[in-house]
Amino acid sequence: MYLQHFGLSQLPFTLTPNTGFFFGLSPHVEALQVLQTALQTGEGFIKVTGEVGTGKTLVCRKLLNDLPTQYHCAYLPNPYLNPKELRLAVAGELGLALPNKLDQQQLTRLIHERLLALNHQGFHVVLVLDEAQSLPDESIEALRLFTNLETESRKLLQVVLFGQPELDQRLAQPKFRQLRQRITFSYDLRPLTWDEIQAYIHYRLAVAGYQGPELFCTADIKRIAKAARGIPRLVNILAHKSLMLCYGQGKKKVTSQHCLAAITDTEDINLQHKAGFSRVSILIIMLLVTVMVVIGLNGDNCCGEWMTQIGEIK
């Protein structure tokens, strides 16, 4: 790849959520502070939502890595599980050795006993679910019932949900109002500003071992930030592609042409631009039709010219 060309020890813009590259940007730090405060209270559900690629999984892994020793964490990265599978997964994360034949009532009782044992040992048990928008409805209800397990002073299990905005839409349904009322803390990860993206790019390059002059000028970083809509994952894709193009031409500094080519080559960004262009075209057509009605255009030639112009709009 381009590691030796730029004097890097590792790839700076991979898509894997690597906590070694955690920068501490404002939205991510705020999310962690909300999570840490909520866990200290020992109550109910905690929810973190954000658009695809805004860094939810990175925050999740950072939380798991930084939890104090008195916390026992059960982590489910893929919660697309029915209620039975969910209970089995939680039991496995709690270290339970289960017999072959076990009904759901017995399984729930064993989980309760294990939670009580961990509580007596001084542990706070936290169940963390990534991609929580994928939970089936029945499993959401099973999850709520888990939080009914408690002592006189605190819950035996706290639940942290990381999910896309679709999670909020699902929980807004009347049938989930009981769970919704148990969400004591929540945080919505926002996109990054262009200056945060500038610091983000420079930081990741430094962590990856880069020590030379700036590879990306301010104008190109603004261009990347706008195209990426402030989403870190898209920033990584665009920066990586720009460096590849720069390396391919044997240059030592990324140019605007490299960034523009990377933007053009990225499907998610192109789809957004196409969608936006279509909406603008529709508005222009509606405006022209309205003007025609208002001024009362008459005559075949005049109307023909206007309709020709409308037809040329793509």
Coordinates of all heavy atoms in Angstrom, one line a residue, residues 224-276:
I224 N -13.6 17.5 1.9 CA -13.9 16.2 2.4 C -15.0 16.2 3.5 O -15.9 15.4 3.5 CB -12.6 15.5 3.0 CG1 -11.6 15.1 1.9 CG2 -12.9 14.3 3.8 CD1 -10.3 14.7 2.3
A225 N -14.9 17.2 4.4 CA -15.9 17.3 5.4 C -17.3 17.5 4.9 O -18.3 16.9 5.3 CB -15.5 18.4 6.4
K226 N -17.4 18.3 3.9 CA -18.7 18.6 3.3 C -19.2 17.4 2.6 O -20.4 17.0 2.7 CB -18.6 19.8 2.3 CG -19.9 20.1 1.6 CD -19.8 21.3 0.7 CE -21.1 21.7 0.1 NZ -21.0 22.9 -0.9
A227 N -18.4 16.7 1.8 CA -18.8 15.5 1.1 C -19.2 14.4 2.0 O -20.2 13.7 1.8 CB -17.7 15.1 0.1
A228 N -18.5 14.3 3.1 CA -18.7 13.2 4.1 C -19.9 13.5 5.0 O -20.3 12.7 5.8 CB -17.5 12.9 4.9
R229 N -20.4 14.7 4.9 CA -21.5 15.2 5.8 C -21.2 15.1 7.3 O -22.0 14.8 8.1 CB -22.8 14.3 5.5 CG -23.2 14.3 4.0 CD -24.5 13.7 3.7 NE -24.6 12.3 4.2 CZ -24.1 11.2 3.5 NH1 -23.5 11.4 2.3 NH2 -24.2 10.0 3.9
G230 N -19.9 15.2 7.6 CA -19.5 15.1 9.0 C -19.4 13.7 9.6 O -19.2 13.6 10.8
I231 N -19.5 12.7 8.7 CA -19.6 11.3 9.2 C -18.2 10.7 9.2 O -17.5 10.6 8.2 CB -20.5 10.5 8.4 CG1 -21.9 11.0 8.5 CG2 -20.5 9.0 8.8 CD1 -22.9 10.3 7.6
P232 N -17.6 10.3 10.4 CA -16.2 9.9 10.5 C -15.9 8.7 9.5 O -14.8 8.6 8.9 CB -16.1 9.5 11.9 CG -17.1 10.3 12.7 CD -18.2 10.5 11.7
R233 N -16.8 7.8 9.4 CA -16.6 6.6 8.5 C -16.3 7.1 7.0 O -15.4 6.6 6.4 CB -17.7 5.6 8.5 CG -17.5 4.4 7.7 CD -18.6 3.4 7.7 NE -18.8 2.9 9.1 CZ -19.9 2.3 9.5 NH1 -21.0 2.2 8.7 NH2 -20.0 1.8 10.7
L234 N -17.1 8.0 6.6 CA -17.0 8.5 5.2 C -15.7 9.4 5.1 O -15.0 9.3 4.1 CB -18.2 9.4 4.8 CG -19.5 8.6 4.5 CD1 -20.6 9.5 4.2 CD2 -19.3 7.6 3.4
V235 N -15.3 10.1 6.2 CA -14.1 10.8 6.2 C -12.9 9.8 6.0 O -12.0 10.0 5.2 CB -13.9 11.6 7.5 CG1 -12.5 12.2 7.6 CG2 -14.9 12.7 7.6
N236 N -13.0 8.7 6.7 CA -11.9 7.7 6.6 C -11.8 7.1 5.2 O -10.7 7.0 4.6 CB -12.2 6.5 7.6 CG -11.9 6.8 9.0 OD1 -11.5 7.9 9.3 ND2 -12.1 5.9 9.9
I237 N -13.0 6.9 4.6 CA -13.0 6.3 3.2 C -12.3 7.4 2.2 O -11.5 7.0 1.4 CB -14.4 6.0 2.8 CG1 -14.9 4.8 3.6 CG2 -14.5 5.7 1.3 CD1 -16.4 4.5 3.3
L238 N -12.8 8.6 2.3 CA -12.3 9.6 1.4 C -10.8 9.9 1.6 O -10.0 10.1 0.7 CB -13.1 10.9 1.6 CG -14.5 10.8 1.2 CD1 -15.3 12.1 1.4 CD2 -14.7 10.4 -0.3
A239 N -10.4 10.0 2.9 CA -8.9 10.3 3.2 C -8.1 9.1 2.7 O -7.0 9.3 2.1 CB -8.7 10.5 4.7
H240 N -8.5 7.9 2.9 CA -7.8 6.7 2.4 C -7.7 6.7 0.9 O -6.6 6.4 0.4 CB -8.5 5.4 2.9 CG -7.9 4.1 2.4 ND1 -6.6 3.7 2.8 CD2 -8.5 3.2 1.6 CE1 -6.4 2.6 2.2 NE2 -7.5 2.2 1.5
K241 N -8.8 6.9 0.2 CA -8.7 6.9 -1.2 C -7.8 8.0 -1.8 O -7.1 7.9 -2.8 CB -10.1 7.0 -1.8 CG -11.0 5.8 -1.7 CD -12.3 6.0 -2.3 CE -13.2 4.7 -2.2 NZ -14.5 4.8 -2.8
S242 N -7.9 9.2 -1.1 CA -7.0 10.3 -1.5 C -5.6 10.0 -1.4 O -4.8 10.3 -2.3 CB -7.4 11.6 -0.7 OG -8.7 12.0 -0.9
L243 N -5.2 9.3 -0.3 CA -3.8 8.9 -0.1 C -3.4 7.9 -1.1 O -2.3 7.9 -1.6 CB -3.6 8.4 1.3 CG -3.7 9.4 2.4 CD1 -3.6 8.8 3.8 CD2 -2.5 10.4 2.3
M244 N -4.3 7.0 -1.5 CA -4.0 6.0 -2.5 C -3.7 6.6 -3.8 O -2.8 6.2 -4.5 CB -5.1 5.0 -2.6 CG -5.2 4.0 -1.4 SD -6.6 2.8 -1.7 CE -5.9 1.9 -3.1
L245 N -4.5 7.6 -4.2 CA -4.4 8.2 -5.5 C -3.1 9.1 -5.5 O -2.4 9.1 -6.5 CB -5.6 9.2 -5.7 CG -6.9 8.4 -6.0 CD1 -8.0 9.4 -6.0 CD2 -6.8 7.8 -7.4
C246 N -2.8 9.7 -4.4 CA -1.6 10.5 -4.2 C -0.3 9.6 -4.4 O 0.6 9.9 -5.1 CB -1.5 11.2 -2.9 SG -0.1 12.2 -2.6
Y247 N -0.4 8.4 -3.7 CA 0.7 7.5 -3.8 C 0.8 6.9 -5.2 O 2.0 6.7 -5.7 CB 0.4 6.3 -2.8 CG 1.2 5.1 -3.1 CD1 2.6 5.0 -2.9 CD2 0.6 3.9 -3.5 CE1 3.3 3.8 -3.1 CE2 1.3 2.7 -3.7 CZ 2.7 2.7 -3.5 OH 3.4 1.6 -3.8
G248 N -0.3 6.7 -5.9 CA -0.3 6.1 -7.2 C 0.4 7.0 -8.2 O 1.0 6.6 -9.2
Q249 N 0.3 8.4 -7.9 CA 1.0 9.3 -8.8 C 2.4 9.7 -8.3 O 3.1 10.5 -8.9 CB 0.1 10.6 -8.9 CG -1.2 10.4 -9.6 CD -2.0 11.7 -9.8 OE1 -1.6 12.7 -9.3 NE2 -3.1 11.6 -10.5
G250 N 2.8 9.0 -7.3 CA 4.2 9.3 -6.8 C 4.4 10.6 -6.1 O 5.5 11.1 -6.0
K251 N 3.3 11.2 -5.7 CA 3.4 12.6 -5.0 C 3.4 12.4 -3.5 O 3.0 11.4 -2.9 CB 2.2 13.4 -5.5 CG 2.2 13.7 -7.0 CD 1.1 14.7 -7.4 CE 1.1 15.0 -8.8 NZ 0.1 16.0 -9.2
K252 N 3.9 13.5 -2.9 CA 4.0 13.5 -1.4 C 2.9 14.3 -0.7 O 2.9 14.4 0.5 CB 5.4 14.0 -1.0 CG 6.6 13.1 -1.4 CD 6.6 11.9 -0.6 CE 7.8 11.0 -0.8 NZ 7.8 9.8 0.0
K253 N 2.1 15.0 -1.4 CA 1.0 15.8 -0.9 C -0.3 15.6 -1.6 O -0.3 15.6 -2.9 CB 1.4 17.3 -0.9 CG 0.4 18.2 -0.2 CD 0.9 19.7 -0.2 CE -0.2 20.6 0.3 NZ -0.6 20.3 1.7
V254 N -1.3 15.4 -0.9 CA -2.6 15.2 -1.5 C -3.1 16.5 -2.2 O -2.9 17.6 -1.6 CB -3.7 14.8 -0.5 CG1 -5.1 14.7 -1.0 CG2 -3.3 13.4 0.1
T255 N -3.6 16.4 -3.4 CA -4.1 17.6 -4.1 C -5.7 17.6 -4.2 O -6.3 16.5 -3.8 CB -3.6 17.6 -5.5 OG1 -4.1 16.5 -6.3 CG2 -2.1 17.5 -5.5
S256 N -6.2 18.7 -4.6 CA -7.7 18.7 -4.8 C -8.2 17.7 -5.7 O -9.3 17.1 -5.6 CB -8.1 20.1 -5.2 OG -7.7 21.1 -4.3
Q257 N -7.4 17.4 -6.8 CA -7.8 16.4 -7.8 C -7.9 15.0 -7.1 O -8.9 14.3 -7.5 CB -6.8 16.4 -8.9 CG -6.8 17.6 -9.9 CD -6.3 18.9 -9.3 OE1 -5.5 18.8 -8.3 NE2 -6.7 20.0 -9.7
H258 N -7.0 14.7 -6.2 CA -7.1 13.4 -5.5 C -8.4 13.4 -4.7 O -9.1 12.3 -4.7 CB -5.9 13.3 -4.6 CG -4.6 13.2 -5.3 ND1 -3.4 13.8 -4.8 CD2 -4.2 12.8 -6.6 CE1 -2.4 13.6 -5.7 NE2 -2.9 13.0 -6.7
C259 N -8.7 14.4 -4.0 CA -9.9 14.5 -3.1 C -11.2 14.4 -4.0 O -12.1 13.6 -3.6 CB -9.9 15.7 -2.3 SG -8.6 15.8 -1.0
L260 N -11.2 15.1 -5.0 CA -12.4 15.1 -5.9 C -12.6 13.7 -6.5 O -13.7 13.2 -6.7 CB -12.3 16.2 -7.0 CG -12.4 17.6 -6.5 CD1 -12.0 18.6 -7.6 CD2 -13.8 17.9 -6.0
A261 N -11.5 13.1 -6.9 CA -11.6 11.7 -7.5 C -12.1 10.8 -6.5 O -12.9 9.9 -6.8 CB -10.2 11.3 -8.1
A262 N -11.6 10.9 -5.2 CA -12.1 10.0 -4.1 C -13.6 10.2 -3.9 O -14.3 9.2 -3.7 CB -11.3 10.3 -2.9
I263 N -14.0 11.5 -3.9 CA -15.4 11.8 -3.7 C -16.3 11.2 -4.8 O -17.3 10.5 -4.6 CB -15.6 13.3 -3.6 CG1 -15.0 13.8 -2.3 CG2 -17.1 13.6 -3.7 CD1 -14.9 15.4 -2.3
T264 N -15.8 11.3 -6.0 CA -16.6 10.8 -7.2 C -16.7 9.3 -7.1 O -17.7 8.7 -7.6 CB -15.9 11.2 -8.5 OG1 -15.8 12.6 -8.6 CG2 -16.6 10.7 -9.7
D265 N -15.6 8.6 -6.6 CA -15.6 7.2 -6.5 C -16.3 6.5 -5.4 O -16.4 5.3 -5.3 CB -14.1 6.7 -6.4 CG -13.9 5.2 -6.6 OD1 -14.3 4.7 -7.6 OD2 -13.4 4.6 -5.6
T266 N -16.9 7.4 -4.5 CA -17.6 6.9 -3.3 C -19.1 6.8 -3.5 O -19.7 7.9 -3.6 CB -17.2 7.7 -2.1 OG1 -15.7 7.7 -1.9 CG2 -17.8 7.1 -0.8
E267 N -19.6 5.7 -3.4 CA -21.0 5.5 -3.8 C -22.0 6.2 -2.9 O -22.9 6.8 -3.4 CB -21.4 4.0 -3.9 CG -22.8 3.7 -4.4 CD -23.0 2.2 -4.6 OE1 -22.1 1.4 -4.4 OE2 -24.1 1.8 -4.9
D268 N -21.8 6.1 -1.6 CA -22.8 6.7 -0.7 C -22.9 8.2 -1.0 O -24.0 8.8 -1.0 CB -22.3 6.5 0.7 CG -23.3 7.1 1.7 OD1 -24.3 6.5 2.1 OD2 -23.1 8.3 2.1
I269 N -21.8 8.9 -1.2 CA -21.7 10.3 -1.5 C -22.4 10.6 -2.8 O -23.2 11.6 -2.9 CB -20.3 10.8 -1.4 CG1 -19.8 10.7 0.0 CG2 -20.2 12.3 -1.9 CD1 -18.3 11.0 0.1
N270 N -22.1 9.9 -3.8 CA -22.8 10.1 -5.1 C -24.3 9.9 -5.1 O -25.0 10.7 -5.7 CB -22.2 9.1 -6.2 CG -20.7 9.5 -6.5 OD1 -20.4 10.7 -6.5 ND2 -19.9 8.5 -6.9
L271 N -24.8 8.9 -4.3 CA -26.2 8.7 -4.2 C -26.9 9.9 -3.6 O -27.9 10.4 -3.9 CB -26.5 7.5 -3.4 CG -26.2 6.1 -4.1 CD1 -26.4 5.0 -3.2 CD2 -27.1 6.0 -5.3
Q272 N -26.2 10.5 -2.5 CA -26.7 11.7 -1.9 C -26.8 12.9 -2.8 O -27.8 13.6 -2.9 CB -25.8 12.0 -0.7 CG -25.9 11.1 0.5 CD -27.2 11.1 1.2 OE1 -27.9 12.2 1.3 NE2 -27.6 10.0 1.8
H273 N -25.8 13.0 -3.6 CA -25.8 14.1 -4.6 C -26.8 14.0 -5.6 O -27.5 14.9 -6.0 CB -24.4 14.2 -5.3 CG -23.3 14.8 -4.4 ND1 -22.0 14.9 -4.7 CD2 -23.4 15.3 -3.1 CE1 -21.3 15.5 -3.7 NE2 -22.2 15.7 -2.7
K274 N -27.0 12.7 -6.1 CA -28.1 12.5 -7.1 C -29.4 12.8 -6.6 O -30.3 13.3 -7.2 CB -28.0 11.0 -7.6 CG -26.7 10.8 -8.5 CD -26.7 9.3 -8.8 CE -25.4 9.0 -9.6 NZ -25.2 7.6 -9.9
A275 N -29.7 12.3 -5.3 CA -31.0 12.6 -4.7 C -31.2 14.1 -4.6 O -32.3 14.6 -4.9 CB -31.0 11.9 -3.4
G276 N -30.2 14.8 -4.1 CA -30.4 16.2 -4.0 C -30.6 16.9 -5.3 O -31.5 17.8 -5.4

